[in-house]
Amino acid sequence: MRTALLQSSGRPGEVDANLRALDAAAARAARAGAELIAAPEMFLTGYAIGDDVRRLAEPADGPSAQALAAVADRHGIAVAYGYPERDGEHVYNSVQLISADGAPLANYRKTHLYGDFERGYFTPGEDPVVQARLGPLTVGLLICYDVEFPENTRAHALAGTDLLLVPTALMHPYRFVADSLVPVRAFENQMYVAYVNRTGPEGEFRFVGLSTVAAPDGVVTARAGEGEELLLADVDPLLPAASRKVNPYLDDRRPGLYGSLAV
């Protein structure tokens, strides 16, 4: 399955402009043979937007979700995008996956919030493993800081995730996450990890780009630079299972020894 990662920060605070940008990128990706396009964390609204987080937050089935369902259906490509989700009095840092025919497949709320900024605006999610079936693949969802906790990716591996989509807002000076940690997470769990980042300056942050696709053997099959880019990579649906036969980490675990890790 060819997968496209849209490395861009869009236009912070301008939802309509970001919807148009994702529409155009989806069209390009579909023409290149991609069956899935993923956009970064908080792509819909921008990340460093302060109190506008609450103003621009939408329900999972809100107008932007409906607009992107139409985009997916029009171009025949599944779409995953980060956005602030409103649910009653709570706002979550979320990612939604929509199928190529416009049907909602999965919605994940970030479980590990990063820094005072996120903890000041968002409620943490409580469901660590959210998955959907997309063609021959079981696709899982995490967001940015979540992937830096080995427990999260291992939970996905045990649940059968083949491709882990991670919309992110990785900033300087933490480029080692994209350079080193993401390929290790793919290797130790024998899954594809597609890590799609924002880029450039925004508010007090400077995002590093470096969107990455790492295969179950730890090999980086595609990596972006630091500017805006539409990154394409092929995901082999047979490789995760084959890698788990070669690398027996999951079979050789001894869960009885790990009880203290849950404390």
Side-chain angles (χ1 to χ4, degrees), residues 21 30 34 159 172 176 193 212 231 233 242 249:
H172 286 283
F176 70 88
V193 179
T212 300
L231 186 69
Y249 280 156

Side-chain angles (χ1 to χ4, degrees), residues 100-126:
D101 62 3
L105 292 179
N107 190 74
Y108 170 76
R109 296 166 172 175
K110 189 174 185 178
T111 54
H112 294 75
L113 300 179
Y114 178 77
D116 292 339
F117 170 78
E118 290 192 11
R119 288 191 286 268
Y121 286 104
F122 299 110
T123 298
E126 296 295 334

Side-chain angles (χ1 to χ4, degrees), residues 1 4 21 25 29 45 68 72 97 109 116 126 137 151 155 158 173 178-179 186-187 192 199 204 217 236 261:
M1 175 186 289
T45 60
L68 288 172
L97 175 63
R109 296 166 172 175
D116 292 339
E126 296 295 334
L137 296 170
E151 298 89 346
L158 294 173
D179 286 337
F187 176 76
Y192 281 93
T199 184
E204 64 185 284
D217 56 6
D236 180 353
L261 296 178

Side-chain angles (χ1 to χ4, degrees), residues 12-224:
E14 299 184 34
V15 173
D16 288 345
N18 295 329
L19 288 171
R20 290 193 297 270
L22 188 47
D23 186 1
R28 288 175 55 203
R31 288 195 298 269
E35 298 176 63
L36 166 67
I37 184 170
E41 180 178 9
M42 294 283 286
F43 179 78
L44 188 64
T45 60
Y47 180 86
I49 57 173
D51 290 341
D52 278 350
V53 166
R54 296 190 179 95
R55 180 177 66 85
L56 297 175
E58 296 184 17
D61 60 354
S64 293
Q66 295 174 35
L68 288 172
V71 167
D73 184 53
R74 181 163 58 250
H75 301 302
I77 188 171
V79 176
Y81 65 98
Y83 73 109
E85 177 195 355
R86 179 174 298 283
D87 185 358
E89 296 300 313
H90 298 283
V91 176
Y92 299 91
N93 184 338
S94 296
V95 55
Q96 181 149 211
L97 175 63
I98 297 171
S99 74
D101 62 3
L105 292 179
N107 190 74
Y108 170 76
R109 296 166 172 175
K110 189 174 185 178
T111 54
H112 294 75
L113 300 179
Y114 178 77
D116 292 339
F117 170 78
E118 290 192 11
R119 288 191 286 268
Y121 286 104
F122 299 110
T123 298
E126 296 295 334
D127 193 349
V129 177
V130 173
Q131 299 170 309
R133 194 71 182 172
L134 194 62
L137 296 170
T138 297
V139 177
L141 302 171
L142 290 178
I143 299 174
C144 197
Y145 195 41
D146 288 328
V147 81
E148 298 177 37
F149 292 81
E151 298 89 346
N152 279 359
T153 47
R154 180 51 52 86
H156 270 278
L158 294 173
T161 292
D162 301 309
L163 169 61
L164 186 63
L165 292 181
V166 188
T168 190
L170 181 69
M171 58 200 67
H172 286 283
Y174 304 114
R175 62 173 292 154
F176 70 88
V177 175
D179 286 337
S180 301
L181 187 146
V182 167
V184 168
R185 289 287 179 266
F187 176 76
E188 67 191 4
N189 293 290
Q190 297 89 59
M191 64 171 65
Y192 281 93
V193 179
Y195 187 79
V196 53
N197 197 17
R198 304 179 68 82
T199 184
E202 186 182 337
E204 64 185 284
F205 308 113
R206 182 173 181 84
F207 301 110
V208 303
L210 306 177
S211 295
T212 300
V213 178
D217 56 6
V219 173
V220 173
T221 61
R223 174 167 282 151

Side-chain angles (χ1 to χ4, degrees), residues 244-259:
R244 287 167 185 168
K245 290 181 179 179
V246 174
N247 182 347
Y249 280 156
L250 299 184
D251 289 340
D252 289 350
R253 292 181 319 116
R254 296 181 62 193
L257 299 180
Y258 310 147

